[in-house]
Amino acid sequence: MFIVYMIQHSATKQIYIGKTNNLQRRLLEHNRNHQTATKRKSGEWIIIYAEAYRNKIDADTRELRLKNHGRAKQE
């Protein structure tokens, strides 16, 4: 099972979208600064949304749609 998730940083309110097959492990990696894109000096990442998918292709498609939607709004 694959999970598409959104996390938000408690201090900066920045949102990050990703996918994983182990949400608890992935959240720990984000909060322990193991991911360059989500390294922050203070605060923590909190899950604000998650969806489960049976296969990786569906999860990949959904993740890309969420990321593209956010980019379209910024433009």
Side-chain angles (χ1 to χ4, degrees), residues 23-39:
L23 188 56
Q24 289 178 330
R25 174 189 50 83
R26 191 70 177 120
L27 185 60
L28 282 173
E29 289 173 357
H30 286 298
N31 282 320
R32 291 180 179 164
N33 292 325
H34 292 178
Q35 167 98 19
T36 303
T38 58
K39 272 188 184 179

Side-chain angles (χ1 to χ4, degrees), residues 21-64:
N21 61 354
N22 185 333
L23 188 56
Q24 289 178 330
R25 174 189 50 83
R26 191 70 177 120
L27 185 60
L28 282 173
E29 289 173 357
H30 286 298
N31 282 320
R32 291 180 179 164
N33 292 325
H34 292 178
Q35 167 98 19
T36 303
T38 58
K39 272 188 184 179
R40 301 294 177 273
K41 291 182 181 179
S42 63
E44 67 178 350
W45 292 95
I46 302 162
I47 297 171
I48 58 172
Y49 185 74
E51 298 175 346
Y53 292 90
R54 290 183 186 193
N55 63 56
K56 188 177 185 301
I57 295 169
D58 290 342
D60 289 341
T61 302
R62 179 62 171 153
E63 178 189 21
L64 287 174

